Amino acid sequence: MTFINATRIDPMPTSNLTLSGGCAGTAPVTASTAAVAWRRSAQVLITTFFACVLPDPVIADQVPKAPQAASPSTAAELRSIYEDYRRNYVAFRLLEAKQDLERYIFSAEQANDAGSQSSGRMLLADLLKRQGNVEGALVQAELALKFARKSDSALVEANAWQVIGDIRESKGDFKAATTAREQALVLAKRAGDQRGVAGVYSALAQRDKLEGRSKDAEERYLEAAKTYRELGDATGESTALRQLADISIARGQYAKGREQAERALSVAIAGKDRQAEAHALRELGWLAAVERKILEADTRYAEALAVYLNIGDAQGEANVYYSWGELSRVYTQSGEGRERYEKALAIYQRLGDRQGQANVLKGVAELNRLLGLSGPARKQYEQAAELFHSLRSTQGEADSYLGIGELEQTQNHYPAARASYGRALKIYQDRDQPAGQARVLRSIARLEGSRNNLPAVDRSLAEAKRLSQQSGDLAGIASALVLYGHLYKMQGKVDQARKSYDEARATYASAGQELGEAQALRYTGLLLADASDLKSAQAAFESALPILNRNGDRLGEANLKRSLAGIYAKQGRVAEAKGMLLEAIRVMRIAGASRSEASTLGDLAKLQFDEGNPRVARETLLNALQIAEGAKDEGQIAVANELLGQLAVNTGDRSEARGRLQRAMKIYSNMGREGAASGVREVLVEQGML
């Protein structure tokens, strides 16, 4: 299961750039005030404030007087126009904001103030880009650079290059974006602007991170964090620390990531930056979600939401609802997750945030796929892919096609699944992102494994492992080793499979990813159980339990107890098996994991029937059906009806058997699960009911 962290939308600190109009020696605007007014999408890395000619009354003591190049009346006029612009921009009245900027630029032209013209055009470029007019934004940014050069200020010119880099990146021209930022870096260093230097390092690091160069990204963020700390910039330091935490978490180095995220939180609190505090809380929530610490994740998200609501940050509010929806989707597949997505989508639409809308569409598509709603899922994946493509969001677009491939695979549509995976792979190849390529190749390996095409599985896994090693992705290497274990298991090579699972466990341990270790132990247990080595299988499962317990993964613990119940049942320890299943069901119910609860009730019903209690087994299955229907989980509804139909066959109730089995067959068919539908059809034919 995957959390797509790259699509979480956090602003970079507003202190990354210091745009000064036409004056020299301008003190920077503090980010804590500016950040509330400026909320940016994940693709927008830099926020700019124009302190020299555009003082903020809240922080007037930190802003120098109007530039000498302009008359007092002109400076006052520019300040007045800027205040009109800012009010309209913060209220998302973008048409009025654009008109304000046009007035501002005109007044600067009349005063022959090159620095102010440059500042105004940078703001206009940003506004046009947010409206989707990237070409118009680039024209304005290049004009801003022209006037910045006329102002004869290395600082202003550096900022103009930064804005050009930002827009070039949004166009997907990453090479040109990097060139622009490197030029900005040279000029910022020449101007002695350490804050600007740190901002460029952060922007370059973000590109390194997105393209899988995690080591380069880490080095740049470390340098940025150090510079911000020396400058006393809590927002900048906290942001850089969160980005470092992202890198550590993506590598599976959860302990290191937690330390960095907690430092980000401490720095934000010490700097009294509530927005940075909320961002750090959400980072910790995401980490807890990845670690399957569901209750902790819920708590952190609730804390972040409270702060965002308190400071009036609608963007942050939407981001929390989106992250919370992701948590529900991965672990519970409940209606609560859909509600959270809907809240996020409504806010993103109000803000005109297309990136956020694309994220939600993909999340809802994933939820519908898990629930067996293939029609809506496909439509939402396609809508998300189109939006991501227009936004030049590589991972979002590729992962949307990856989702379509998984959807096709569940419906046994091999050519369509292979085509979608191929499309996702090409996107990552075109962007030279090895970690993304490795993820797609692992999915291709699973697809080929479902067709028993073992040579193709081997080829895909070998390349996936190589790419993960290239990008230093320990978790990716471990995932490939797990899949190698599956491959050997399919080939009947038990010893080799166990060796691969053991190597995966050791690699997860090196990455500090304890839950990965537990997963490898679980696969080892399943392998040994299939090989009838029940004692060793039990030992593997029981070794994994304390790891899950220590990490607070109650749902993972419940699923492992379900596996242990299977071992007990095979050993004839039926009472212990039932007790283990009941404990697992209790935890699943508390966690709201209705899908897991319904399927585990099916296991319990089978034991009850084998004990000679068909009536009790039927009640258990009816309970499972009710839960599945409440969750609108078509797959589990079909399974419950199939089991009820088989039970009715065994008890001689042919009328109920026919109705239940026919309903199950119809649902399977509608879901595209022809193999399951065919199996039910065979039972109906065998019983003379079709």
Side-chain angles (χ1 to χ4, degrees):
M1 57 190 65
T2 304
F3 286 86
I4 309 300
N5 189 41
T7 55
R8 291 174 304 109
I9 305 167
D10 290 339
M12 291 293 287
T14 55
S15 54
N16 281 350
L17 294 181
T18 308
L19 298 190
S20 61
C23 63
T26 301
V29 174
T30 55
S32 58
T33 304
V36 177
W38 289 73
R39 292 166 192 140
R40 309 294 301 273
S41 73
Q43 298 304 309
V44 181
L45 303 179
I46 308 300
T47 301
T48 58
F49 254 68
F50 299 81
C52 181
V53 295
L54 312 172
D56 188 324
V58 178
I59 50 169
D61 60 319
Q62 300 182 33
V63 180
K65 295 179 180 179
Q68 298 301 313
S71 67
S73 61
T74 300
E77 180 183 0
L78 290 175
R79 279 195 292 269
S80 175
I81 296 171
Y82 172 71
E83 290 300 329
D84 291 341
Y85 156 76
R86 192 180 64 166
R87 280 190 292 272
N88 284 321
Y89 187 84
V90 172
F92 296 95
R93 295 189 293 266
L94 300 187
L95 177 60
E96 291 87 343
K98 181 172 179 288
Q99 291 169 348
D100 292 332
L101 286 178
E102 289 168 348
R103 286 194 297 124
Y104 180 88
I105 292 168
F106 178 76
S107 294
E109 286 175 347
Q110 294 300 303
N112 196 28
D113 183 347
S116 295
Q117 286 187 64
S118 179
S119 297
R121 291 187 185 280
M122 287 186 222
L123 279 174
L124 183 56
D126 175 74
L127 182 61
L128 291 171
K129 186 170 75 66
R130 285 176 68 82
Q131 292 178 311
N133 184 359
V134 181
E135 294 300 333
L138 185 58
V139 169
Q140 291 299 324
E142 289 175 342
L143 284 170
L145 177 61
K146 173 184 172 183
F147 286 108
R149 285 170 170 162
K150 285 185 178 181
S151 75
D152 196 27
S153 167
L155 180 60
V156 177
E157 188 178 348
N159 293 326
W161 276 114
Q162 263 281 47
V163 174
I164 289 173
D166 183 22
I167 295 169
R168 287 288 186 190
E169 175 153 313
S170 71
K171 284 171 61 67
D173 191 349
F174 303 127
K175 184 176 181 180
T178 298
T179 299
R181 285 167 177 156
E182 287 172 346
Q183 184 67 27
L185 185 62
V186 171
L187 289 162
K189 287 180 177 179
R190 185 187 304 167
D193 178 19
Q194 289 301 105
R195 183 172 275 100
V197 169
V200 179
Y201 275 136
S202 294
L204 290 169
Q206 182 76 353
R207 174 47 43 198
D208 288 333
K209 176 182 163 189
L210 292 174
E211 294 184 355
R213 296 186 295 273
S214 62
K215 185 176 180 181
D216 292 340
E218 184 177 39
E219 290 175 357
R220 293 189 198 272
Y221 279 130
L222 284 169
E223 186 63 32
K226 177 175 176 287
T227 302
Y228 285 130
R229 184 164 55 254
E230 291 169 350
L231 291 168
D233 185 339
T235 300
E237 184 184 357
S238 180
T239 300
L241 286 168
R242 283 191 296 107
Q243 297 293 344
L244 285 165
D246 272 357
I247 292 170
S248 297
I249 295 165
R251 290 173 175 168
Q253 297 170 339
Y254 296 158
K256 183 177 180 181
R258 180 173 293 277
E259 179 187 351
Q260 290 162 331
E262 287 176 346
R263 280 175 56 205
L265 178 60
S266 297
V267 168
I269 292 172
K272 297 181 180 179
D273 187 335
R274 299 303 310 284
Q275 190 181 56
E277 177 187 344
H279 293 337
L281 286 167
R282 190 158 61 87
E283 181 80 19
L284 286 164
W286 175 67
L287 171 59
V290 174
E291 291 184 295
R292 297 167 65 106
K293 297 177 179 178
I294 301 171
L295 295 178
E296 181 188 337
D298 271 330
T299 299
R300 291 300 194 181
Y301 285 146
E303 290 172 343
L305 181 62
V307 177
Y308 285 130
L309 289 170
N310 181 260
I311 64 176
D313 186 343
Q315 182 82 60
E317 180 187 352
N319 293 341
V320 170
Y321 280 127
Y322 166 70
S323 298
W324 228 337
E326 291 284 277
L327 179 71
S328 300
R329 170 182 65 78
V330 172
Y331 292 120
T332 67
Q333 293 91 53
S334 64
E336 190 175 49
R338 193 179 299 278
E339 290 171 8
R340 287 165 173 168
Y341 280 139
E342 288 171 354
K343 287 180 179 179
L345 184 61
I347 299 172
Y348 287 140
Q349 288 173 335
R350 175 163 58 84
L351 300 182
D353 185 341
R354 296 168 69 231
Q355 175 81 34
Q357 293 173 54
N359 293 337
V360 173
L361 280 169
K362 194 175 86 61
V364 175
E366 295 278 358
L367 178 60
N368 284 329
R369 178 177 65 82
L370 290 170
L371 295 176
L373 303 174
S374 57
R378 183 189 308 280
K379 181 179 179 181
Q380 288 148 351
Y381 274 132
E382 290 170 349
Q383 290 173 333
E386 185 178 346
L387 260 177
F388 282 128
H389 180 76
S390 70
L391 293 163
R392 311 303 203 275
S393 176
T394 300
Q395 182 170 343
E397 183 184 4
D399 283 353
S400 294
Y401 286 114
L402 198 58
I404 293 173
E406 290 170 351
L407 180 65
E408 299 288 4
Q409 184 173 340
T410 60
Q411 296 177 303
N412 296 317
H413 298 159
Y414 171 76
R418 193 66 177 79
S420 291
Y421 288 146
R423 194 163 181 178
L425 183 62
K426 187 174 187 307
I427 291 170
Y428 279 128
Q429 287 172 335
D430 289 346
R431 298 290 189 269
D432 190 25
Q433 295 189 14
Q437 293 174 55
R439 283 203 307 118
V440 178
L441 285 164
R442 291 196 296 270
S443 291
I444 291 173
R446 293 186 190 96
L447 172 66
E448 298 296 354
S450 69
R451 302 178 70 244
N452 209 34
N453 186 353
L454 303 188
V457 174
D458 195 14
R459 287 194 300 273
S460 296
L461 288 180
E463 181 62 6
K465 186 178 177 184
R466 184 189 69 79
L467 288 164
S468 293
Q469 289 170 331
Q470 177 184 325
S471 61
D473 180 7
L474 290 176
I477 295 169
S479 294
L481 287 166
V482 165
L483 291 174
Y484 264 121
H486 296 347
L487 171 63
Y488 294 136
K489 182 179 177 181
M490 292 171 66
Q491 294 173 322
K493 301 175 181 178
V494 176
D495 290 341
Q496 286 177 268
R498 184 169 187 178
K499 182 180 178 183
S500 287
Y501 291 144
D502 287 344
E503 288 178 0
R505 181 186 174 191
T507 306
Y508 280 129
S510 298
Q513 193 168 338
E514 282 199 309
L515 291 173
E517 293 182 67
Q519 181 192 56
L521 281 167
R522 179 171 177 267
Y523 285 131
T524 299
L526 293 171
L527 171 73
L528 296 171
D530 288 346
S532 299
D533 187 352
L534 301 183
K535 185 176 180 180
S536 297
Q538 180 181 337
F541 289 144
E542 290 176 345
S543 295
L545 274 175
I547 298 175
L548 297 170
N549 184 271
R550 182 166 61 249
N551 283 274
D553 185 0
R554 300 292 175 257
L555 189 54
E557 195 175 341
N559 286 323
L560 195 61
K561 286 180 177 179
R562 183 182 176 189
S563 297
L564 261 175
I567 296 293
Y568 293 159
K570 289 181 179 179
Q571 292 172 332
R573 299 157 61 183
V574 177
E576 289 176 82
K578 286 170 59 181
M580 194 67 77
L581 287 175
L582 288 169
E583 173 60 19
I585 290 165
R586 184 187 68 81
V587 174
M588 292 168 182
R589 188 165 297 162
I590 292 171
S594 53
R595 196 164 188 252
S596 297
E597 182 184 353
S599 60
T600 307
L601 282 166
D603 293 349
L604 179 61
K606 291 173 187 175
L607 286 179
Q608 290 166 338
F609 179 79
D610 290 342
E611 282 187 307
N613 294 316
R615 182 183 60 80
V616 176
R618 184 173 185 276
E619 290 175 359
T620 300
L621 288 173
L622 287 172
N623 187 16
L625 178 60
Q626 183 180 19
I627 292 168
E629 287 176 337
K632 298 180 181 179
D633 186 338
E634 291 295 304
Q636 288 303 320
I637 290 171
V639 169
N641 274 290
E642 181 182 0
L643 291 173
L644 281 164
Q646 292 174 350
L647 180 63
V649 167
N650 284 298
T651 58
D653 189 341
R654 292 179 60 80
S655 176
E656 179 173 6
R658 180 184 292 107
R660 296 289 186 187
L661 291 171
Q662 286 182 341
R663 186 182 178 199
M665 182 175 67
K666 182 178 179 181
I667 295 172
Y668 283 138
S669 182
N670 290 340
M671 292 175 66
R673 294 174 58 180
E674 292 304 326
S678 177
V680 176
R681 187 179 296 108
E682 288 177 9
V683 175
L684 284 166
V685 171
E686 182 183 301
Q687 296 296 321
M689 298 177 183
L690 192 65

